[in-house]
Amino acid sequence: MSDNENWRTHWMTYEEADTDRGIVQDVCNGIRMVAETGAGDPVETVALSIAGAEAAEALTQALTGEWALYTPGQITVTASAVFGQLEGVLANLHALTATLDRMEARRETAFTDAARDRLRHVAAAVDFACGFVPGVISDLEELPQLVELPADAHELLASVADLLGPDAEFRAFHEPNAYQEDDSGFGCGCEVLITHDGEVWNLHRGDSTWSMVRESEGKQQPDGSTTFSSWIDLNPTPTTSHPHHLAAEIRRALAAVT
């Protein structure tokens, strides 16, 4: 096994590349709110335990997706966080045992020996598994990244247009490298026009999401802008998504509307 004891830093220091979304903060805000004030009663304690269980189940479901992760680096961060949960499980098993002891001391329960023994046995098994964690992370750190993801929304749009072929037209509204993407969630303002079954669809970034609208539904407004009565929001939403992933979602969405 490796002596790499810095494996936790992958998830503890992770910074979101897609700053216009802040999805980590959004997902964790409720837990952080309780944790920062300190869970002071059983309602909050039970709520934290259920949130952890639901998060673990949701992650299992997410990882079954073909495009769940794009790079070895993302796998390493995710594995680091999963192993952080494993360490948390170990600490929580010990804490549950201590809680059971306190409850018995207050005479709120009795005959806890069998339950405490089982908790200790489970904790020992988890502790053994934790010993393999540094080596696993070290192996993941050594994996090469063989794909270069787009650096921003502009690069992703251009790549997707290439993948979609002659039915897609990339329309740039600025000179190369002549814009700076901010955190507004609207990318660089460029778009891709996609012709499908005689209809033209407009792929663009808006409100931190990749969306498509049917050009024929556009209505010109007095201020010169164009509004649409409906649109299709696509997964994935990051500005640095894998081009093949976004292209696959576009094809799926177009197939569903015909």
Side-chain angles (χ1 to χ4, degrees):
M1 291 186 293
S2 167
D3 60 354
N4 172 21
E5 291 299 331
N6 295 319
W7 60 266
R8 300 170 189 81
T9 61
H10 288 284
W11 74 267
M12 295 178 70
T13 62
Y14 177 72
E15 294 184 5
E16 295 180 84
D18 202 5
T19 55
D20 65 341
R21 296 181 71 212
I23 188 69
V24 172
Q25 181 173 336
D26 289 345
V27 171
C28 295
N29 269 346
I31 294 173
R32 289 170 178 169
M33 180 182 68
V34 176
E36 287 171 2
T37 58
D41 58 54
V43 172
E44 293 174 334
T45 302
V46 171
L48 286 173
S49 69
I50 292 172
E54 288 200 7
E57 288 189 357
L59 176 60
T60 300
Q61 182 177 356
L63 287 171
T64 62
E66 180 183 359
W67 296 99
L69 298 168
Y70 298 149
T71 68
Q74 292 170 340
I75 291 179
T76 303
V77 169
T78 304
S80 172
V82 169
F83 292 145
Q85 295 173 35
L86 190 64
E87 272 199 335
V89 167
L90 178 60
N92 289 334
L93 288 170
H94 290 309
L96 279 171
T97 304
T99 300
L100 199 57
D101 289 341
R102 290 194 298 271
M103 291 179 69
E104 187 169 31
R106 294 194 301 257
R107 297 191 178 182
E108 295 162 352
T109 189
F111 311 113
T112 63
D113 288 349
R116 283 185 297 173
D117 283 345
R118 290 186 184 278
L119 283 170
R120 292 190 183 104
H121 289 149
V122 174
V126 174
D127 190 26
F128 177 78
C130 285
F132 294 91
V133 168
V136 174
I137 295 297
S138 289
D139 288 342
L140 290 174
E141 289 172 336
E142 296 300 319
L143 296 177
Q145 179 172 320
L146 304 180
V147 62
E148 184 175 351
L149 297 176
D152 49 46
H154 183 85
E155 286 190 10
L156 180 53
L157 279 170
S159 297
V160 168
D162 287 340
L163 288 172
L164 294 177
D167 292 331
E169 175 193 353
F170 176 54
R171 300 210 308 178
F173 297 106
H174 58 77
E175 295 298 321
N177 302 317
Y179 83 100
Q180 184 173 358
E181 193 169 336
D182 56 27
D183 60 357
S184 66
F186 286 87
C188 64
C190 298
E191 62 192 19
V192 176
L193 298 183
I194 306 164
T195 302
H196 179 76
D197 279 355
E199 290 274 7
V200 177
W201 294 81
N202 183 308
L203 168 69
H204 61 279
R205 184 149 184 92
D207 198 18
S208 303
T209 303
W210 291 109
S211 301
M212 290 195 307
V213 292
R214 204 187 310 252
E215 285 281 290
S216 61
E217 294 180 352
K219 293 183 178 180
Q220 195 78 15
Q221 302 301 306
D223 62 0
S225 64
T226 304
T227 61
F228 296 86
S229 58
S230 62
W231 57 89
I232 299 173
D233 288 336
L234 299 166
N235 280 319
T237 55
T239 55
T240 53
S241 298
H242 197 302
H244 287 273
H245 186 184
L246 184 54
E249 288 299 308
I250 291 168
R251 295 187 185 102
R252 180 194 58 76
L254 290 175
V257 296
T258 56

